[in-house]
Amino acid sequence: MINENFLKLSGAYLFSEIARRVNVFKTQHPEAGIISLGIGDVTQPLCPAVIEALHKAVDEMAVAATFRGYGPERGYNFLREAIVEHDFRARGINIEADEVFVSDGAKSDTGNFQELLGKDVRIAVTDPVYPVYVDSNVMAGRSIVKLPCKAENGFAPELPGEQVDVVYLCYPNNPTGTTLTREQLKVWVDYALSHNALIFYDAAYEAYIQSDDVPHSIYEIEGAKECAVEFHSYSKTAGFTGIRCGYTVVPKEVKSEELKVKNSSLNQLWNRRQSTKFNGTSYLSQRAAEAIYTPEGKAQVQATVGYYMENARLMREALTGIGFTVYGGKDAPYLWLQTPNGMTSWEFFDKMLQKAHVVCTPGAGFGSSGEGFVRLTAFGNREQTIEALERIKTLG
Ligand code: PLP
């Protein structure tokens, strides 16, 4: 017998369907040079500080005296200390190294963390949403409450009308590229504290925040250490989509009534889960991640983020200039483009592909509230991004 919940997952994965349509078009029009502003992978190489750290780590592996085998379960101290210092203490947040769990990226952790929850826990996600939160809970047999995020509510979810136990929030958001201010995020922390709810906060795009009133971490909000787990990724921060490294913060204060009685904590449970099922992120990846916290690493990573954000600015400017309504792209590498003339997101996808030879991501693939929008990414190289914009201008 199989886990029948897997049969409840929606059929074609969004990006497989996009690839299928692109391949059909390519077969019919082999001469068309297609530019993808679709999948959210990065294009710029790793920065020199990271490359240097990787070479050094490789050399260490070649010598018995410095060779490393299995690493510590929560990740090497050198990386967890750097995280605590630069991502939290520098922002006035007190997180301790044993509250940080280094991982191979935020996809695994955002997908796996629900294993610690009871089967009947009520889950809420924003709609549109990063599909991992939904699918991992469907696999576990849970039903999910959707919180619509539309232009009318400024893409900020409203508090659920019914009791929910866990809320997934991702800001800066994938796919809408929009953010929550401190005041808006405080509403959710207060909700969680007063309703015994838990927040899973995905900060994968935190490095792209430019505005002062947008929090980089949920722990900037008072009380969040009692009700929130936060996921981080080096994928978009530093181009680690192929290197693989991220981390999750599980504060020791996060406890349900049941955990309090049992004198345990979510931190202990996650440690137990990880040490059973995960054997750590490679030493090389962790040394690479450590390098982004050096002064040179910081400056270099910031330059790459700046490069993508300049793409985003050019995209916003060009698209609004030709009459599109565009959201996001100010504190995030994603733009959320309203389809013209009431077209569905797949209709507009086809038009962009066939007329402009540009690939976007249909908003409907992220949830029903994504209908009427497409997602564009600023992760392309400059020349291709500019070329794509020129072609979109001729769409008419
Ligand atoms: N969370 C969000 C919102 C994402 O968009 C992504 C990647 O696209 C991830 C997590 C996964 O990141 P990682 O590469 O660290 O697994």
Side-chain angles (χ1 to χ4, degrees):
M1 286 169 79
I2 55 147
N3 174 352
E4 292 196 352
N5 296 318
F6 277 68
L7 303 177
K8 296 182 198 149
L9 294 165
S10 53
Y13 181 54
L14 172 63
F15 292 105
S16 322
E17 177 57 16
I18 292 174
R20 193 191 66 75
R21 292 193 192 204
V22 170
N23 281 335
V24 169
F25 182 78
K26 269 189 188 159
T27 315
Q28 290 162 352
H29 305 274
E31 74 297 344
I34 292 175
I35 299 177
S36 178
L37 300 181
I39 293 189
D41 201 354
V42 293
T43 55
Q44 299 306 296
L46 295 168
C47 67
V50 165
I51 295 296
E52 203 182 304
L54 280 168
H55 281 302
K56 193 164 163 254
V58 169
D59 288 341
E60 285 174 11
M61 289 298 211
V63 181
T66 49
F67 167 80
R68 311 279 182 133
Y70 291 125
E73 280 157 8
R74 293 171 195 234
Y76 283 99
N77 276 346
F78 61 76
L79 179 55
R80 290 187 297 124
E81 293 292 349
I83 289 167
V84 160
E85 186 56 40
H86 297 275
D87 287 349
F88 297 100
R89 272 188 214 134
R91 297 199 171 105
I93 302 166
N94 183 30
I95 294 290
E96 288 168 29
D98 61 358
E99 296 175 307
V100 174
F101 296 79
V102 175
S103 72
D104 64 355
K107 188 175 203 169
S108 323
D109 284 4
T110 53
N112 290 333
F113 213 93
Q114 50 73 32
E115 281 184 26
L116 304 193
L117 307 173
K119 187 183 169 305
D120 297 326
V121 156
R122 288 152 297 188
I123 306 286
V125 300
T126 58
D127 177 9
V129 69
Y130 176 56
V132 173
Y133 316 148
V134 174
D135 288 355
S136 55
N137 278 290
V138 169
M139 288 171 183
R142 298 192 190 93
S143 53
I144 293 153
V145 175
K146 304 272 174 83
L147 308 171
C149 292
K150 301 186 175 198
E152 297 86 74
N153 57 15
F155 303 97
E158 277 145 40
L159 294 175
E162 58 205 285
Q163 168 71 27
V164 299
D165 306 303
V166 175
V167 183
Y168 287 76
L169 295 176
C170 170
Y171 289 97
N173 188 256
N174 176 14
T176 65
T178 57
T179 49
L180 294 184
T181 61
R182 276 190 193 84
E183 287 67 40
Q184 286 174 310
L185 189 54
K186 182 176 183 312
V187 170
W188 281 97
V189 171
D190 291 346
Y191 172 86
L193 291 172
S194 59
H195 289 73
N196 289 324
L198 177 63
I199 297 176
F200 287 155
Y201 196 72
D202 188 343
Y205 297 94
E206 164 273 312
Y208 290 83
I209 294 170
Q210 314 287 314
S211 308
D212 290 339
D213 61 343
V214 175
H216 288 254
S217 163
I218 194 166
Y219 304 119
E220 289 180 38
I221 313 294
E222 204 187 331
K225 276 187 78 180
E226 282 144 57
C227 64
V229 169
E230 184 166 278
F231 304 96
H232 284 254
S233 164
Y234 295 106
S235 286
K236 309 302 158 66
T237 305
F240 274 42
T241 50
I243 293 283
R244 309 305 306 148
C245 195
Y247 67 90
T248 293
V249 181
V250 192
K252 283 174 273 189
E253 292 95 315
V254 184
K255 292 179 183 188
S256 63
E257 288 308 318
E258 189 186 359
L259 284 169
K260 280 181 198 159
V261 171
K262 304 240 161 85
N263 202 18
S264 186
S265 67
L266 215 53
N267 180 294
Q268 283 179 32
L269 297 194
W270 185 240
N271 192 44
R272 190 72 179 82
R273 190 271 175 209
Q274 287 297 78
S275 49
T276 302
K277 294 196 182 182
F278 181 62
N279 244 346
T281 309
S282 83
Y283 175 67
L284 307 185
S285 297
Q286 295 191 57
R287 279 294 184 200
E290 181 195 22
I292 76 159
Y293 295 110
T294 60
E296 314 79 64
K298 270 188 192 171
Q300 292 162 3
V301 161
Q302 238 174 36
T304 308
V305 166
Y307 175 91
Y308 292 134
M309 288 312 286
E310 175 62 8
N311 283 349
R313 191 191 65 75
L314 291 170
M315 291 163 76
R316 281 183 62 86
E317 194 177 86
L319 295 165
T320 47
I322 52 173
F324 280 105
T325 303
V326 183
Y327 301 94
K330 284 183 183 157
D331 292 292
Y334 295 126
L335 282 79
W336 196 232
L337 186 78
Q338 196 172 329
T339 61
N341 311 320
M343 289 173 96
T344 68
S345 56
W346 279 108
E347 281 167 358
F348 189 64
F349 169 90
D350 286 333
K351 182 173 176 184
M352 287 261 273
L353 176 61
Q354 282 156 21
K355 300 266 167 61
H357 308 164
V358 171
V359 179
C360 60
T361 312
F366 298 100
S368 57
S369 295
E371 186 52 279
F373 291 89
V374 297
R375 187 191 74 175
L376 298 178
T377 89
F379 287 130
N381 71 43
R382 182 68 41 76
E383 297 69 33
Q384 290 211 330
T385 302
I386 291 173
E387 168 67 19
L389 292 171
E390 287 305 317
R391 294 190 199 168
I392 295 171
K393 279 184 193 165
T394 64
L395 264 183

